[in-house]
Amino acid sequence: MTLQDVLLAVVGLVAVAGGVAVVSTRQLVRAGLWLVVALGAVAVEFLLLGAEFAAWVQVLIYVGAVVVLLLFAVMLTRAPIGPSTDLDRPALPAVLVGAAAGLGLAALFVGVFGQFQVPSPAVGTAERIGDAVFGDWVLPFEVLSILLLAALVGAIVLSRPSAPQETPVAQGSSR
């Protein structure tokens, strides 16, 4: 067992603990901050695996954009940021479903990759990734950008305060 294996395991535990904290906290702002921890740990995992480009994309897009968008949405919509008791659900069914899904995925992962040596792909560069994204995958990339723009416009429209309704005054009515 190498130092990289130990670091991968420790940072993986931090990511899992951050994910558990995201779904178990009762305060929305704290859930957003725990999401930063979980996504940052995933970025460190990418760095440890030698995928620097993927690590910086993780930091810029997920930590830098998604979490900031979540926190701005909370601030703009004036959502309650304290503990919320109206959304409480029984925890046992959620734990059972989560544990079953995790065990199923682990069994699938071990069954598929447990006995096989997976060949590593050719080393990727930013140029090769750019050629793939803007060559073969340009249409899905543009559709995604339009979808994100529509979501942003929708968020702006929903966050605007509504104008007060004026009641029309009937003309010619005098007492």
Side-chain angles (χ1 to χ4, degrees):
M1 185 171 246
T2 64
L3 177 63
Q4 183 181 11
D5 294 336
V6 172
L7 287 174
L8 280 169
V10 169
V11 174
L13 287 174
V14 169
V16 169
V20 168
V22 168
V23 298
S24 65
T25 186
R26 292 179 183 257
Q27 296 187 358
L28 189 59
V29 174
R30 288 187 183 173
L33 295 176
W34 280 115
L35 187 61
V36 169
V37 171
L39 294 174
V42 171
V44 172
E45 293 277 347
F46 283 134
L47 281 176
L48 289 172
L49 292 172
E52 292 87 7
F53 182 75
W56 290 115
V57 166
Q58 175 82 14
V59 168
L60 289 174
I61 293 177
Y62 288 106
V63 175
V66 171
V67 174
V68 169
L69 181 66
L70 172 81
L71 294 177
F72 271 110
V74 168
M75 289 186 293
L76 287 175
T77 59
R78 295 184 187 99
I81 58 174
S84 177
T85 58
D86 62 337
L87 298 177
D88 287 347
R89 303 278 194 287
L92 184 61
V95 170
L96 291 176
V97 169
L103 288 174
L105 287 174
L108 180 68
F109 183 74
V110 169
V112 171
F113 296 111
Q115 301 170 355
F116 298 105
Q117 183 75 12
V118 178
S120 54
V123 176
T125 62
E127 182 180 359
R128 288 180 62 193
I129 293 172
D131 287 341
V133 167
F134 296 113
D136 300 333
W137 294 95
V138 70
L139 183 63
F141 184 80
E142 291 301 324
V143 169
L144 181 64
S145 67
I146 291 171
L147 178 68
L148 290 173
L149 178 64
L152 181 63
V153 170
I156 291 171
V157 168
L158 289 175
S159 67
R160 291 181 56 200
S162 59
Q165 298 290 333
E166 294 183 18
T167 56
V169 177
Q171 293 187 359
S173 62
S174 60
R175 291 188 180 193

